[in-house]
Amino acid sequence: MEAVAKSYNHRNQPVTALAGVTLHIPKGDFVAVVGPSGSGKSTLLLTLGGMLSPSHGQVFLDGCSLYDLSPEQRARLRRKKIGFLFQTFNLVAYLSAIENVQLPLFLAGMEERDQRVKAESLLERVGLADWLDHKPSELSVGQQQRVALARMPANDPVVILADEPTGSLDPDTSEDVLDFLQELNREGRTIVMVTHYPAAAQRAKRTVKLVSGRIRLDETISTIEPARDGQKDVI
Amino acid sequence: MQLRNLVCRELFERRNQLGTSFLAILLGITAIVAIKNVTFYSEKAVAKELDALGANILILPKSATLQGYYSADMQEEEFPEEYVTRLATSDLQGLDNLSPKLCVPIAVEGKSLTLTGILPRNEFQAKAAWQGAGIFARPQGCGTTSIRLPLASKETLVRKRVIETLGEREALVGADVAESLGVKQGDEVKLLGKTFTVIAVLPQTGTVDDSRVFAHLHTVQELAGKGRVVNAIEVVGCCSQISKGLVQKINKLLPDAKVVTITQVVDTQIRTNRMMSHLSGVFLVIIVLVGGASTANYMYANVFERRREIGTLMAMGADSSLILRMFLLKALLLGLAGGIGGYLLGSVLAIALGPRIAGIPVLPMPLLLLWAVGLSVAIAVVASYLPARRAARLDPCVTLQEI
C-alpha cells in the first residue's frame, strides 16, 4: 500500500478511516493488524482485498495496481488470488456445508463434479467429513467457522484476508482456527489478519498497530521465523 | 454447483416468501386464460349458429321495407346488378357468399308462385376481374362451415343461399311448389313460356322459400324483361367483421342501398365479444399492475435481505453480471411457474364453468399456454429488472457491514 487514505461521510460527518498508510507485505508473511475500534483495521483489510477503493494512494498486488483495474477485473483477481475469512463466517444460509465450499469453485468455473470432490477434501481437512450436507443452521458456531475455513482456500488464493476470525469463537476453536491459518501460511500463502486479541496477534509473524487510521507500530515478532529467501513483496 | 442450482435452492428454501407475488401472477394468468378460453368457444359457437342461419346481411334498395328476412327480396324495388361487381372488387374483408336475387311473381297452372333468379357461384369465378377479390376466401376465425359444397346440392341453396352451377334452363323448386304442381327431380316445368328442367326439389324449410321456384338470374331478368337489375343481394358476412363495422363499410361503398343484418343475433355476439374483450383487457391491466408491483416489491425485499450474501459472493469474486443473472433467472423461473400454473388452472376453470356460464362445451387451448407463459415471464422479468440491477450495483463493503 502506498500512501493510502480513505475518508467517507457518516451521518454528514467526515470520517477518516485511513490517513496515508504505506505498508509493504512480502509474500508468505503473516501480518496481524491490531488497534482500537474505529482505527481503520477493517477498512485496511477491504482496501487490500480490492473491495474498497481508497480516496488517495495506490494498492499493488503482485505489482498490479488494484484500483486501476475495472470492477470486473478486480472481481476476477479476487476469484483467483484472494480468500476472505469473516468474523461472522458469512455462510449462505440456504446452502449446505459442501455447497458453501463449492461457491468459490463455481465462481472460478470449475466443473460440478470436480467442485464436489475438492469441496469434500477441504471439509475433511477441517474435520467436517460427516457434516457435508448440513446447513449452517444445523451446525455449531465452531463448525460454521470451520466451513468458512474450508471455503477460504478453495480457490487456492495466494493472499488470505481474515477479519476477526476468532471474534465469535471459544478459546479451543480459536486455537484451531489460528493453527489452520498458520498451516496455510506455512504453505506459502500471505495472511493479513485483523484481530483484537493479543494472543491471536502473537501467532502472526508481524504486528501492525493502527490508531486513527495511521500505523503507530510495525514490528516483526522475533520468535517466528522470517519469510523465506527469494520471496518478493506481494502487497 | 451451477447458477441454476443456486437460484433453485434459494427459491425452494424460501418459497413462503414469494407466495404473494406468485399468487398474484398465478391468479391473474388464470383469470385471463379462463376468459380467453370461454370467449373463443363462445365466438365459435355463435359463428356456427350464424352459419346455420345462412346469409346474415341483406342489401336492399334504399326505399325497400323489410317485412321478413326470408321474404326480403320479394318486393318491387330494384337496383343495378352492377352493385355485385362493386362488392366483389372491393377490398372489404369478411364478405363471403354473395347471392343477388330478382323475384318475379308468376302463375303456373293457375297457381301463384314466385320465380326467383339467382346467380350460381361459377358465374363469379368466371369473371376474371373478380378473381382474388377475396369473396370466396374464408377469413380466418369465421368458424363457419367449409365453403366447398357438392355441386347443385339442395343443402347448399337452403343453408348457404347460393348454388355452385345452374344452367339457363334449369330450375330448383321449393317443397310446397313441388307438391302443388306434382313435380319431382328430372321433370320439366313451363315458366314464363319457357321449359325448365327440375334439377332438384328443395327440402322443406318452413319459409317462403318453399313457395319459390329458383332459376338462373340472367334467364329470369331476360324473361321478365327487367334488364340487369336485382331486388336484393344476400351476403354471408364474417361474424367478427360484422362486429368491426362491415355493415357500415358496405353502406359507404353502396350509398344508394340499404344494408341490414340479423341484428338480434349479431348484436348479442357483438355485445358478448365486447364484454369479454373488455373483461380480458381489465384483467390484463390488473395482472400487469398487481403482479408487476408485487414481484418488484418482493424482489426489492429479497435483494435487501440478501445483501450480505451478495457482498460475500462479490468478495469471492462474483462480478455484477453474475448477480444480475442470478436475480433475473429467479424472475424467469417465477414467471414460468406462474404462467404454466395459471394456464392449467385457467383451463380447468374454463372447462368447468364454460358450460354453466356460456352454455357451451369448452376444451383446453394449447396456444394459450405460450401466451400465458410469455406474459407471465415478461411481467416477472421486467418487474425484477430494477431490483436485480440494484443488487448488481451494491457496494460489497456496505453489504458486508464491515466498516
Side-chain angles (χ1 to χ4, degrees):
Chain A
M1 297 179 93
E2 284 185 4
V4 170
K6 178 68 186 177
S7 53
Y8 53 88
N9 279 320
H10 183 64
R11 296 188 179 175
N12 293 326
Q13 295 293 318
V15 176
T16 302
L18 295 175
V21 171
T22 298
L23 182 65
H24 295 275
I25 302 173
K27 186 176 179 186
D29 206 352
F30 186 170
V31 181
V33 182
V34 298
S37 293
S39 58
K41 302 188 298 294
S42 294
T43 304
L44 178 105
L45 201 73
L46 290 168
T47 309
L48 284 174
M51 299 270 284
L52 185 64
S53 57
S55 309
H56 299 288
Q58 285 189 300
V59 179
F60 296 93
L61 175 59
D62 278 344
C64 170
S65 175
L66 278 186
Y67 294 97
D68 286 333
L69 300 174
S70 68
E72 274 68 31
Q73 287 171 320
R74 276 206 301 279
R76 260 200 303 279
L77 188 134
R78 276 198 299 275
R79 214 179 294 161
K80 287 181 182 168
K81 295 191 172 179
I82 301 173
F84 277 93
L85 186 63
F86 303 96
Q87 179 182 358
T88 48
F89 324 135
N90 286 16
L91 299 178
V92 179
Y94 55 84
L95 296 180
S96 64
I98 192 163
E99 286 168 335
N100 265 288
V101 179
Q102 279 178 262
L103 269 179
L105 303 171
F106 148 65
L107 293 172
M110 187 183 276
E111 285 291 320
E112 209 167 351
R113 190 183 297 172
D114 298 339
Q115 286 175 26
R116 196 162 173 92
V117 171
K118 184 159 186 185
E120 269 181 23
S121 74
L122 286 164
L123 283 166
E124 270 175 38
R125 188 175 170 186
V126 296
L128 288 177
D130 296 331
W131 301 84
L132 299 181
D133 296 318
H134 287 70
K135 296 217 177 70
S137 59
E138 297 160 353
L139 300 171
S140 69
V141 173
Q143 285 172 320
Q144 287 179 35
Q145 184 61 307
R146 278 193 276 164
V147 175
L149 278 176
R151 183 179 67 182
M152 179 185 56
N155 57 349
D156 208 18
V158 291
V159 177
I160 288 169
L161 304 172
D163 192 2
E164 300 281 8
T166 59
S168 311
L169 305 175
D170 60 68
D172 287 344
T173 315
S174 295
E175 283 300 308
D176 290 344
V177 169
L178 292 169
D179 286 345
F180 192 73
L181 287 175
Q182 280 190 313
E183 192 182 322
L184 292 173
N185 181 237
R186 277 195 292 275
E187 289 172 1
R189 300 177 211 276
T190 306
I191 296 177
V192 181
M193 173 181 69
V194 166
T195 183
H196 271 106
Y197 300 100
Q202 281 181 354
R203 302 288 288 269
K205 295 175 181 172
R206 178 181 169 194
T207 301
V208 171
K209 185 173 184 180
L210 275 181
V211 177
S212 301
R214 294 177 194 280
I215 294 178
R216 287 295 163 89
L217 179 77
D218 184 354
E219 64 176 10
T220 302
I221 298 167
S222 55
T223 52
I224 307 292
E225 60 184 38
R228 284 171 293 195
D229 290 344
Q231 290 177 339
K232 59 175 183 177
D233 290 3
V234 291
I235 294 178
Chain B
M1 175 73 59
Q2 295 293 328
L3 184 60
R4 64 173 184 279
N5 304 126
L6 192 66
V7 173
C8 289
R9 289 301 298 273
E10 200 270 336
L11 261 177
F12 184 74
E13 293 290 331
R14 297 173 174 171
R15 57 189 179 278
N16 294 338
Q17 294 178 14
L18 59 85
T20 313
S21 80
F22 175 70
L23 208 63
I25 293 182
L26 180 80
L27 293 181
I29 295 288
T30 299
I32 293 182
V33 166
I35 291 172
K36 281 199 170 291
N37 207 338
V38 172
T39 306
F40 176 81
Y41 280 97
S42 166
E43 282 177 357
K44 206 172 171 184
V46 177
K48 271 184 183 169
E49 205 173 308
L50 277 178
D51 185 51
L53 281 170
N56 49 23
I57 296 175
L58 280 174
I59 301 168
L60 303 168
K62 200 86 174 171
S63 53
T65 52
L66 186 62
Q67 301 295 332
Y69 179 76
Y70 286 94
S71 59
D73 55 339
M74 296 171 73
Q75 31 80 27
E76 291 179 356
E77 305 295 333
E78 294 155 355
F79 58 75
E81 190 189 334
E82 181 263 339
Y83 281 16
V84 180
T85 315
R86 265 201 245 176
L87 283 169
T89 53
S90 74
D91 57 358
L92 290 181
Q93 297 289 311
L95 283 179
D96 213 319
N97 293 322
L98 294 177
S99 179
K101 292 208 167 70
L102 176 66
C103 293
V104 181
I106 56 167
V108 179
E109 298 172 12
K111 293 184 177 68
S112 291
L113 305 171
T114 301
L115 175 61
T116 301
I118 55 174
L119 200 60
R121 204 161 60 181
N122 65 341
E123 297 267 337
F124 286 90
Q125 289 162 339
K127 289 184 188 283
W130 296 358
Q131 294 296 313
I135 290 301
F136 298 106
R138 168 86 35 173
Q140 282 191 341
C142 262
T144 47
T145 53
S146 169
I147 199 78
R148 288 285 161 200
L149 293 168
L151 292 179
S153 158
K154 299 169 196 175
E155 286 296 317
T156 309
L157 187 64
V158 172
R159 291 184 62 251
K160 306 294 292 180
R161 304 183 72 74
V162 73
I163 193 162
E164 283 285 341
T165 58
L166 191 61
E168 279 185 22
R169 290 287 179 266
E170 289 177 343
L172 297 140
V173 296
D176 291 351
V177 176
E179 194 181 336
S180 62
L181 297 181
V183 295
K184 56 184 188 305
Q185 190 174 332
D187 289 353
E188 290 194 337
V189 63
K190 206 159 190 179
L191 306 168
L192 294 175
K194 300 286 179 188
T195 305
F196 289 77
T197 305
V198 177
I199 60 164
V201 175
L202 301 173
Q204 192 85 33
T205 61
T207 68
V208 288
D209 283 359
D210 296 342
S211 309
R212 291 184 196 244
V213 176
F214 294 92
H216 195 291
L217 175 65
H218 295 159
T219 307
V220 175
Q221 285 170 339
E222 188 188 329
L223 294 177
K226 294 267 191 180
R228 295 285 166 143
V229 292
V230 295
N231 296 121
I233 304 171
E234 290 182 345
V235 182
V236 176
C238 177
C239 197
S240 62
Q241 291 298 328
I242 293 173
S243 68
K244 287 178 189 166
L246 179 62
V247 171
Q248 290 77 6
K249 286 175 191 167
I250 298 174
N251 252 327
K252 206 173 166 187
L253 185 72
L254 307 172
D256 296 329
K258 176 190 278 184
V259 186
V260 293
T261 181
I262 310 175
T263 51
Q264 201 178 0
V265 177
V266 175
D267 280 354
T268 306
Q269 172 67 9
I270 291 168
R271 276 201 300 274
T272 309
N273 288 355
R274 201 170 287 159
M275 189 192 75
M276 289 295 200
S277 166
H278 287 173
L279 207 57
S280 180
V282 167
F283 270 95
L284 190 67
V285 171
I286 289 173
I287 186 199
V288 168
L289 291 179
V290 177
S294 171
T295 306
N297 185 43
Y298 162 70
M299 281 294 185
Y300 271 120
N302 192 239
V303 168
F304 183 77
E305 188 188 357
R306 296 171 67 188
R307 61 198 188 287
R308 178 171 281 266
E309 175 194 332
I310 295 165
T312 307
L313 286 172
M314 284 177 164
M316 286 192 287
D319 55 20
S320 50
S321 75
L322 183 110
I323 305 294
L324 187 73
R325 276 185 287 138
M326 196 166 88
F327 280 92
L328 289 183
L329 181 60
K330 179 174 174 168
L332 179 77
L333 293 175
L334 180 66
L336 273 176
I340 294 170
Y343 167 77
L344 293 174
L345 271 181
S347 297
V348 169
L349 207 64
I351 292 165
L353 297 183
R356 292 184 192 179
I357 295 173
I360 45 156
V362 175
L363 295 172
M365 294 170 63
L367 193 67
L368 281 181
L369 176 63
L370 290 179
W371 193 90
V373 168
L375 178 68
S376 176
V377 166
I379 290 170
V381 171
V382 169
S384 301
Y385 181 73
L386 286 179
R389 201 178 64 166
R390 173 181 280 191
R393 289 179 175 183
L394 277 178
D395 182 342
C397 288
V398 175
T399 62
L400 290 170
Q401 294 181 325
E402 298 286 357
I403 296 172

